[in-house]
């Protein structure tokens, strides 16, 4: 058994907490991007992934992803079903396996939460709760085994994905597209303005995401060493250049750089550096971030051209940004960072680029197909989308019996209240309370 390294363990404990913080950060980020009638629902769709993924991961997800291979590189065995055989003395490399499993769990959580952005304002909360744990095992855990698991076929092929460009970003973007197609567009898509209702929320959320992303990427070194330091710097650089790239496009194309563009550019840069942070040098990180900021700023318009309603641009930023990062490894990987493999610009030829492209296509097709099938079955059984009346009223009230803002604030004037919740006055109080007040 490998000896547990206290320094590596301490760093991974901190990194795990940072990655978990990304999900509340995403909740605030997404919450600021939706309209006033869907704020709480959007936040809850992120928060609920924490318990749902935790249960699914500890029961089945971890063993599917990280146990020894059981089917030609496709899936792990069930040796650790319910975390069997793992205790505080069990090591994974130089860290406790319980901690490694928890660290990987936080990745599954944030990936599921990312998917929710594509179906904002129109999904039944109960249907989303049904989808998440099934998806976490059937999609996320399976792809994690392919890319990172012992004997995973993409891992054995030599595909490089340091912290989740394939497993997190392309999986979430492909799954998001599948759900957007199953649920269909929001009422008023392409006709009504659907602007972010709270840009300070968006900026706060992206700040929390950026902070947590250092644990996401640098924590993947599983040690407090030089590699973690290089990855940390690459993460900072790519986020900065992503912002500058996006703002440059806005300035040239639209005349003015926006705060929303700044936030989106940071996320695009961070998405693209996620797979490549442990394979490229600092100059490479700058190129990756800049390319993602520019490409994703154009990609978000694809939904209007092709007619799919990806509410919060999960496809345009996470899928496209993930593809950019995964493919640029084939050009920019350096032997110093990878320990061997090199990209085209460093004399490595086209071999690595071919492997990266194959992985991107296969993962995208698998995640889209299985996610679409799961969502379709749920839609047939219980319905995945709220009624048109409930969507018009607002999913905050119709799904949770709450509102983020008092009636009349920020234009929120629900047309109807569900009769099961009784009668309320203009302040949201029941008649008896109104008389007493």
């Amino acid at each position: 058994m490998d000896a547990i390294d206290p320094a590596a363990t301490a760093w991974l404990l901190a990194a795990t907490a940072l990655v978990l913080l990304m999900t509340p950060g995403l909740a605030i980020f997404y919450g600021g991007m939706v309209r006033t009638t869907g704020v709480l629902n959007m936040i809850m769709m992120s928060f609920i992934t924490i318990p749902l993924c935790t249960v699914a991961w500890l029961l089945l997800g971890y063993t599917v992803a990280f146990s020894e291979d059981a089917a030609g590189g496709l899936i792990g065995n069930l040796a650790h079903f319910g975390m069997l055989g793992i205790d505080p003395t069990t090591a994974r490399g130089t860290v406790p396996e319980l901690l490694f499993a928890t660290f990987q769990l936080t990745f599954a959580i944030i990936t599921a939460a990312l998917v929710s952005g594509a179906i904002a304002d129109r999904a039944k909360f109960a249907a989303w709760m049904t989808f998440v744990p099934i998806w976490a095992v059937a999609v996320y855990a399976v792809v994690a085994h392919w890319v990172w698991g012992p004997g995973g076929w993409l891992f054995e092929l030599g595909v490089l994905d340091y912290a989740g460009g394939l497993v997190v970003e392309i999986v979430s973007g492909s799954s998001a597209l599948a759900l957007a197609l199953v649920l269909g567009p929001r009422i008023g898509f392409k006709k009504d303005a659907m602007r972010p209702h709270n840009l300070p929320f968006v900026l706060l959320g992206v700040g929390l995401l950026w902070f947590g992303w250092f644990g996401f990427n640098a924590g993947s070194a599983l040690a407090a060493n030089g590699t973690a330091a290089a990855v940390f710097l690459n993460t900072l650089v790519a986020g900065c250049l992503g912002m500058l790239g996006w703002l440059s496009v806005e300035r040239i194309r639209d005349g003015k750089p926006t705060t929303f563009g700044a936030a989106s550019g940071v996320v695009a840069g961070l998405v693209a550096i996620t797979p490549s942070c442990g394979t490229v040098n600092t100059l490479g990180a700058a190129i990756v971030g800049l390319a993602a900021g520019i490409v994703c700023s154009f990609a978000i318009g694809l939904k209007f051209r092709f007619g799919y309603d990806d509410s919060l641009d999960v496809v345009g930023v996470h899928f496209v940004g993930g593809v950019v990062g995964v493919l640029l490894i084939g050009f920019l990987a350096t032997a110093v960072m990878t320990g061997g493999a090199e990209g085209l610009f460093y004399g490595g030829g086209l071999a690595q680029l071919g492997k990266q492209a194959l992985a991107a296509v296969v993962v995208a097709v698998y995640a889209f197909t299985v996610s679409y099938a799961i969502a379709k079955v749920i839609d047939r059984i219980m319905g995945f989308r709220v009624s048109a009346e409930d969507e018009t009223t607002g999913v905050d009230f119709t799904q949770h019996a709450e509102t983020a803002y008092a009636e009349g604030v920020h234009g929120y004037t629900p047309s109807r209240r569900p009769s099961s919740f009784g009668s309320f006055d203009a302040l949201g109080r029941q008649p008896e309370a109104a008389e007493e007040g």
Side-chain angles (χ1 to χ4, degrees):
M1 184 184 72
D2 295 328
I4 292 176
D5 179 2
T9 300
W11 165 233
L12 194 59
L13 283 166
T16 302
L18 287 172
V19 181
L20 183 61
L21 179 65
M22 291 177 72
T23 298
L26 181 72
I28 298 298
F29 179 63
Y30 276 177
M33 290 173 69
V34 297
R35 293 169 289 179
T36 55
T37 56
V39 181
L40 298 179
N41 176 258
M42 194 71 261
I43 291 174
M44 275 296 291
M45 287 179 77
S46 287
F47 266 88
I48 199 63
T49 63
I50 299 176
L52 293 176
C53 285
T54 296
V55 173
W57 188 253
L58 297 181
L59 282 177
L60 195 55
Y62 179 73
T63 194
V64 166
F66 290 102
S67 291
E68 293 298 323
D69 185 69
L74 297 177
I75 192 170
N77 62 37
L78 300 181
H80 297 310
F81 177 80
M83 303 303 285
L84 289 173
I86 303 175
D87 60 46
T89 67
T90 309
R92 184 92 180 196
T94 59
V95 298
E97 188 163 10
L98 285 173
L99 176 57
F100 175 80
T102 307
F103 180 63
Q104 294 297 337
L105 163 61
T106 60
F107 278 56
I109 291 169
I110 186 65
T111 308
L114 286 170
V115 176
S116 68
I119 54 173
D121 292 334
R122 61 197 188 278
K124 290 182 179 178
F125 192 65
W128 173 246
M129 289 183 65
T130 305
F131 175 84
V132 169
I134 299 171
W135 174 92
V137 175
V139 177
Y140 181 86
V142 171
V143 175
H145 183 75
W146 293 358
V147 179
W148 294 329
W153 75 276
L154 290 177
F155 177 82
E156 295 296 331
L157 183 63
V159 171
L160 299 175
D161 182 7
Y162 193 79
L166 293 164
V167 182
V168 175
E169 308 301 350
I170 291 179
V171 163
S172 64
S174 301
S175 301
L177 177 59
L179 264 64
L181 293 177
V182 170
L183 270 70
R186 289 166 291 179
I187 296 173
F189 177 63
K190 290 188 177 181
K191 297 178 182 178
D192 300 336
M194 298 181 180
R195 300 184 182 92
H197 89 283
N198 192 323
L199 287 172
F201 261 33
V202 172
L203 293 172
L204 173 61
V206 84
L208 291 171
L209 282 170
W210 201 348
F211 181 66
W213 226 299
F214 290 113
F216 197 83
N217 287 353
S220 295
L222 303 181
N225 55 21
T227 299
V231 169
F232 197 104
L233 177 59
N234 284 348
T235 303
L236 175 62
V237 168
C240 292
L241 270 294
M243 183 197 294
L244 293 176
W246 195 298
L247 291 179
S248 297
V249 171
E250 284 191 332
R251 181 67 181 84
I252 295 169
R253 182 187 62 195
D254 307 323
K256 290 183 174 62
T258 67
T259 55
F260 188 53
S264 300
V266 170
V267 174
L270 293 173
V271 165
I273 201 62
T274 294
S276 55
C277 58
T279 63
V280 303
N281 57 26
T282 307
L283 176 60
I287 295 171
V288 168
L290 184 64
I294 293 171
V295 172
C296 292
S297 67
F298 289 102
I300 59 171
L302 293 175
K303 64 183 181 183
F304 299 108
R305 176 174 297 179
F306 294 107
Y308 63 89
D309 185 9
D310 170 21
S311 307
L312 307 185
D313 297 317
V314 186
V315 179
V317 175
H318 292 274
F319 176 78
V320 173
V323 169
V324 168
V326 166
L327 293 182
L328 284 179
I329 291 172
F331 293 97
L332 299 171
T334 66
V336 172
M337 292 296 291
T338 66
E342 292 181 312
L344 179 64
F345 294 165
Y346 290 88
L350 293 171
Q352 192 63 48
L353 178 59
K355 294 175 184 177
Q356 299 300 119
L358 172 66
V361 171
V362 172
V363 168
V365 170
Y366 177 80
F368 175 86
T369 303
V370 179
S371 298
Y372 189 90
I374 296 170
K376 267 295 187 184
V377 171
I378 293 173
D379 190 43
R380 290 286 182 88
I381 295 173
M382 60 189 300
F384 213 133
R385 181 167 180 158
V386 299
S387 68
E389 188 177 6
D390 283 355
E391 184 178 344
T392 301
T393 299
V395 287
D396 276 2
F397 200 86
T398 60
Q399 294 295 299
H400 306 287
E402 298 172 304
T403 59
Y405 304 103
E407 188 173 4
V409 177
H410 300 292
Y412 178 64
T413 52
S415 59
R416 161 182 93 81
R417 297 186 187 277
S419 59
S420 59
F421 300 130
S423 300
F424 296 82
D425 71 356
L427 296 178
R429 301 174 298 178
Q430 290 182 322
E432 297 81 2
E435 292 172 3
E436 293 172 0

